[in-house]
Amino acid sequence: MAEHVGVVLADIVADDATGLAGAMGVGFEDDGQLRALVGLAEDFDDGLRTDVLAFALALFTGEPQRLVKAPGGRLGIGRRRLTPTAGVGHLAFHLAYSCGRDTSSATFELIALPSV
């Protein structure tokens, strides 16, 4: 699914993922196509990684301008699961569910990342 919507996946080693379940970056290909990179904390189990990925995919497909407008086109995804919400969080829940994941919530806090 990630590849289909133009998202490249990577792992974030545990030492680099302090406070983060994942991170997203967005940019443009030479042909103007929007492309995202999603990193997932490798110290999470597959179920939680699936929920974080569903949230990242929902954000990229549902609110791509939120990523584009973020400083450096990058956002962190916090480790704490939030109460399910409408919008991106609701879409994330359904994405996870459609992939066989029965989760209480696929909504996470978005965190501004420091400049590099």
Side-chain angles (χ1 to χ4, degrees):
M1 185 182 308
E3 183 179 326
H4 181 72
V5 296
V7 174
V8 177
L9 295 177
D11 287 324
I12 303 173
V13 295
D15 290 344
D16 294 337
T18 302
L20 297 175
M24 296 185 69
V26 67
F28 293 92
E29 297 288 334
D30 291 339
D31 64 0
Q33 288 283 80
L34 190 63
R35 175 73 63 175
L37 172 66
V38 174
L40 300 172
E42 68 179 9
D43 63 327
F44 277 18
D45 66 33
D46 286 343
L48 191 50
R49 285 170 56 99
T50 299
D51 294 349
V52 173
L53 177 57
F55 184 73
L57 291 173
L59 182 65
F60 180 65
T61 57
E63 294 184 18
Q65 291 304 317
R66 190 167 181 181
L67 274 166
V68 170
K69 292 178 181 178
R74 304 173 324 128
L75 287 170
I77 300 170
R79 286 184 168 250
R80 191 171 49 91
R81 187 185 305 272
L82 301 178
T83 303
T85 62
V88 171
H90 188 72
L91 176 58
F93 171 84
H94 285 285
L95 286 173
Y97 185 80
S98 72
C99 293
R101 176 87 173 124
D102 186 17
T103 183
S104 60
S105 172
T107 303
F108 297 86
E109 177 184 17
L110 288 172
I111 300 167
L113 295 173
S115 299
V116 288

